[in-house]
Amino acid sequence: MNYKLLGCMSGLALLTLSGCAFHMSKQQCLTTNWYQRGFNAGSNGQRANVASDIVDCQKFHINVNSNAYERGWNAGIKRFCTYRRGYQLGSQGQANPNICPAGQLQQHFNRGFHKGANVFCRNPSNGFALGRQGSGF
């Protein structure tokens, strides 16, 4: 068994993604294309997070079209969850966001991610870089 590869893969598994809180203004609540906002989130591999937008817009007594957001997110996540995107993230030493819906999309993405992560972990200096970032392996 290749313990360096196993260690590197463990380090990749421990990485986490972080995000910043974003609050919407009254003007944004009035003019947002909710389908496009959901699509952008999905195609960027972000979790569907219309709940925070609803809270922000309710402060101004403005309703969010959550159905349009969800339809957009579902279309966007299909664009994100590909073998190619998985490979790209894995080969760059990124964490698997575990965002792809169960089924074929998730399988294709994870296959690509695993192959890319193997390529990343074959370079010994990448394991050291993960350690410097505070990621255990």
Side-chain angles (χ1 to χ4, degrees):
M1 175 172 244
N2 185 336
Y3 290 104
K4 288 181 185 177
L5 182 60
L6 180 62
C8 184
M9 294 295 287
S10 297
L12 284 173
L14 294 175
L15 286 174
T16 57
L17 299 175
S18 63
C20 298
F22 176 75
H23 297 285
M24 297 187 70
S25 69
K26 181 176 183 177
Q27 186 63 27
Q28 289 169 319
C29 290
L30 289 169
T31 60
T32 293
N33 176 329
W34 294 104
Y35 178 91
Q36 189 64 49
R37 186 167 176 88
F39 181 84
N40 291 344
S43 63
N44 288 318
Q46 299 169 350
R47 301 212 179 276
N49 193 18
V50 73
S52 64
D53 294 339
I54 291 171
V55 169
D56 288 345
C57 294
Q58 280 181 342
K59 294 175 187 173
F60 307 112
H61 306 286
I62 299 169
N63 292 324
V64 168
N65 187 340
S66 58
N67 289 331
Y69 180 96
E70 184 178 345
R71 284 192 320 274
W73 187 87
N74 286 330
I77 202 67
K78 288 176 185 172
R79 183 170 279 190
F80 178 83
C81 294
T82 63
Y83 178 93
R84 184 177 183 174
R85 181 66 61 96
Y87 181 88
Q88 177 186 24
L89 292 179
S91 66
Q92 294 172 351
Q94 301 292 318
N96 186 334
N98 293 314
I99 191 144
C100 299
Q104 195 172 23
L105 286 176
Q106 185 182 57
Q107 290 171 2
H108 288 308
F109 180 90
N110 286 343
R111 266 191 235 124
F113 182 85
H114 182 69
K115 185 167 181 105
N118 280 327
V119 169
F120 178 83
C121 289
R122 282 193 169 72
N123 181 343
S125 64
N126 289 336
F128 294 117
L130 288 174
R132 283 194 301 275
Q133 294 172 7
S135 300
F137 56 94

